[in-house]
């Protein structure tokens, strides 16, 4: 218990009918949502005097696969008795905008939800683009901010989510980071701290957009208002009656319907055809058969000619860049 605890006694700005404040982060492997969830959990438990649970859900542990991190807070003597994934978040962080094309990242939002979205769009544009009809949307270009500070994207998002929540103390997050990352890697921590502060400031500067029929800019950031409770619990979206018949994955493997761009972390292989010697190493290395080789002419001979990657199927692993012997493929920002 410390300074933050006093503030924490009535700190949760809103809870559901059972006193839970819930956070969900939608991300892909490699962007650090899992660590962000752990930090928010520690912040609540160690620095704010809250009861906390924090866990993540992911399939195969590989870069680019979807990851969801969940955090649950409850005040006072009430234990955390709920272990299910967060379906109706009060605070929602979407680390990777492209996920909105393929996954229901906005599922379960309500008028009380503060949504932090990593995008270059404004709140109004994003609300229109993704059909967000409720909640308050805070948009920031977290990828660019992270690159400019040379830090992890999760730190920028943590700062932004702290600002949007109206009660998560950025000082507490900074202290946590200093105690963990800062002790081992002081230089790295400096960059991450700068990123966290930039994320916080970006939300403060741009403020939020109130989604709905008459969407408008928020005049003031949330300030720990009295409890506002959700009207009712959402029905779970998965279960024995709603699961896909036979447990089949309808989007398995690579097909014309699949779009793997959601797996990218902001980088793509850039193809420079003038340097390509048609060796085919990229094609045999790429795990998703992304390269388009077609019959053509190279150095006066009939052969299969590389027409570069088809970005719909590219998940951005950049193995092809590493293997190309002539730098005909280079790492580029998306
Ligand atoms: S980055 Fe290269 S190797 Fe990886 S999926 Fe894309 S094209 Fe294939
Ligand atoms: S590895 Fe490089 S040089 Fe070889 S085919 Fe691919 S792009 Fe061309």
């Amino acid at each position: 218990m410390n300074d933050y605890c006093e503030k924490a006694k009535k700190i949760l700005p809103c809870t559901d009918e059972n006193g839970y404040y819930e956070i969900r982060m939608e991300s892909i492997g490699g962007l650090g949502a899992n660590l962000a969830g752990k930090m928010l959990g520690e912040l609540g438990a160690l620095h704010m005097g809250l009861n906390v649970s924090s866990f993540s859900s992911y399939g195969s542990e590989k870069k680019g696969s979807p990851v969801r991190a969940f955090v649950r807070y409850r005040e006072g003597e009430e234990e955390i008795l709920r272990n299910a994934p967060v379906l109706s978040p009060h605070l929602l962080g979407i680390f990777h905008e492209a996920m909105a094309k393929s996954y229901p990242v906005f599922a379960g939002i309500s008028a009380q939800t503060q949504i932090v979205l990593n995008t270059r769009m404004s709140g109004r544009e994003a609300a229109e683009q993704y059909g967000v009809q409720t909640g308050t949307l805070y948009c920031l270009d977290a990828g660019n901010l992270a690159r400019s500070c040379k830090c992890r994207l999760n730190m920028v998002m943590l700062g932004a989510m702290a600002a949007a929540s109206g009660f998560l103390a950025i000082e507490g997050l900074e202290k946590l980071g200093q105690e963990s990352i800062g002790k081992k890697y002081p230089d790295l921590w400096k960059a991450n701290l700068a990123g966290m502060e930039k994320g916080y400031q970006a939300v403060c500067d741009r403020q939020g957009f109130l989604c709905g029929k008459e969407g408008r800019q928020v005049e003031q950031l949330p300030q720990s208002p009295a409890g506002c409770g959700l009207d009712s619990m959402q029905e779970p979206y998965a279960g024995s009656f709603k699961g896909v018949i036979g447990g089949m994955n309808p989007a398995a493997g690579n097909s014309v319907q699949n779009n793997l761009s959601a797996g990218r972390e902001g980088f793509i292989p850039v193809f420079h055809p003038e340097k390509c010697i048609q060796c085919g190493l990229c094609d045999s290395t790429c795990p998703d058969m992304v390269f388009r080789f077609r019959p053509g002419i190279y150095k006066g001979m009939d052969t299969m000619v590389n027409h570069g990657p088809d970005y719909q199927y590219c998940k951005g692993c950049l193995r092809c860049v590493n293997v190309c012997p002539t730098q005909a493929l280079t790492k580029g920002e998306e």
Side-chain angles (χ1 to χ4, degrees):
M1 301 285 269
N2 57 40
D3 310 350
Y4 302 114
C5 291
E6 277 311 300
K7 290 192 216 160
K9 281 184 184 142
K10 282 197 186 57
I11 201 165
L12 296 178
C14 57
T15 62
D16 66 15
E17 59 208 3
N18 295 312
Y20 289 99
Y21 180 93
E22 301 189 312
I23 303 174
R24 188 172 80 218
M25 283 165 269
E26 300 276 0
S27 183
I28 57 167
L31 294 185
N34 189 25
L35 176 66
K38 282 186 187 158
M39 284 181 74
L40 288 179
E42 282 186 26
L43 176 71
L46 303 179
H47 294 288
M48 299 173 85
L50 296 166
N51 293 314
V52 170
S53 83
S54 156
F55 57 101
S56 299
S57 112
Y58 38 81
S60 59
E61 285 198 57
K62 65 175 188 180
K63 268 173 118 178
S65 55
V67 171
R68 307 172 91 202
F70 309 106
V71 182
R72 198 163 264 135
Y73 293 145
R74 216 173 180 196
E75 284 185 60
E77 303 303 310
E78 302 291 336
E79 287 175 32
I80 304 264
L81 300 173
R82 196 182 284 166
N83 296 311
V86 171
L87 301 181
S88 309
H90 298 92
L91 179 62
L92 172 65
I94 302 173
F95 284 42
H96 195 31
E97 183 184 6
M99 294 186 79
K101 291 182 212 156
S102 320
Y103 301 95
V105 290
F106 292 99
I109 57 172
S110 68
Q112 284 81 38
T113 311
Q114 314 292 324
I115 308 160
V116 178
L117 175 63
N118 171 16
T119 178
R120 290 183 183 164
M121 285 190 267
S122 69
R124 185 179 292 279
E125 288 164 347
E128 273 174 27
Q129 170 82 16
Y130 299 117
V132 186
Q133 296 292 338
T134 188
T136 309
L137 194 50
Y138 300 86
C139 293
L140 75 160
D141 188 352
N144 227 352
L145 290 176
R147 282 192 284 277
S148 71
C149 296
K150 296 191 170 55
C151 74
R152 300 282 307 274
L153 182 122
N154 57 354
M155 295 296 140
V156 178
M157 288 298 287
L158 268 178
M161 288 173 71
S165 74
F167 75 99
L168 289 169
I170 190 163
E171 305 96 310
L173 284 171
E174 289 174 357
K175 200 160 174 249
L176 273 180
Q178 174 60 36
E179 283 162 6
S180 52
I181 312 170
K183 274 194 183 151
K184 281 193 208 155
Y185 313 104
D187 289 342
L188 208 61
W189 174 238
K190 262 192 219 159
N192 281 294
L193 181 60
M196 194 185 284
E197 283 168 354
K198 282 212 171 172
Y200 189 89
Q201 204 50 50
V203 163
C204 294
D205 291 346
R206 291 186 72 181
Q207 303 200 335
F209 182 76
L210 276 174
C211 305
K213 275 191 188 145
E214 293 169 17
R216 64 184 162 80
Q217 255 345 92
V218 181
E219 274 139 36
Q220 232 183 343
L221 285 172
Q223 295 262 326
S224 305
C228 51
L230 291 174
D231 297 331
S232 61
M233 287 292 291
Q234 298 267 329
E235 262 201 66
Y237 63 84
S240 55
F241 293 111
K242 295 182 180 169
V244 180
I245 294 170
M248 183 183 76
N249 178 357
N254 210 345
S255 74
V256 282
Q257 286 100 5
N258 272 9
N259 186 334
L260 300 188
S261 61
R264 298 199 289 259
E265 291 181 39
F267 297 101
I268 48 170
V270 179
F271 182 49
H272 309 282
E274 71 286 355
K275 292 188 183 168
C276 179
I277 55 170
Q278 318 304 335
C279 66
L281 276 175
C282 53
D283 195 36
S284 50
T285 303
C286 175
D288 288 287
M289 294 177 284
V290 170
F291 286 89
R292 297 161 302 167
F293 277 80
R294 298 192 190 121
I297 299 197
Y298 176 66
K299 291 195 172 170
M301 285 168 61
D302 286 341
T303 185
M304 296 299 280
V305 173
N306 191 355
H307 287 257
D310 181 340
Y311 291 112
Q312 175 173 341
Y313 306 117
C314 171
K315 63 188 174 196
C317 67
L318 302 181
R319 287 183 206 172
C320 55
V321 171
N322 292 334
V323 84
C324 177
T326 62
Q327 281 80 49
L329 289 160
T330 53
K331 176 180 175 182
E333 277 186 23
E334 186 155 11

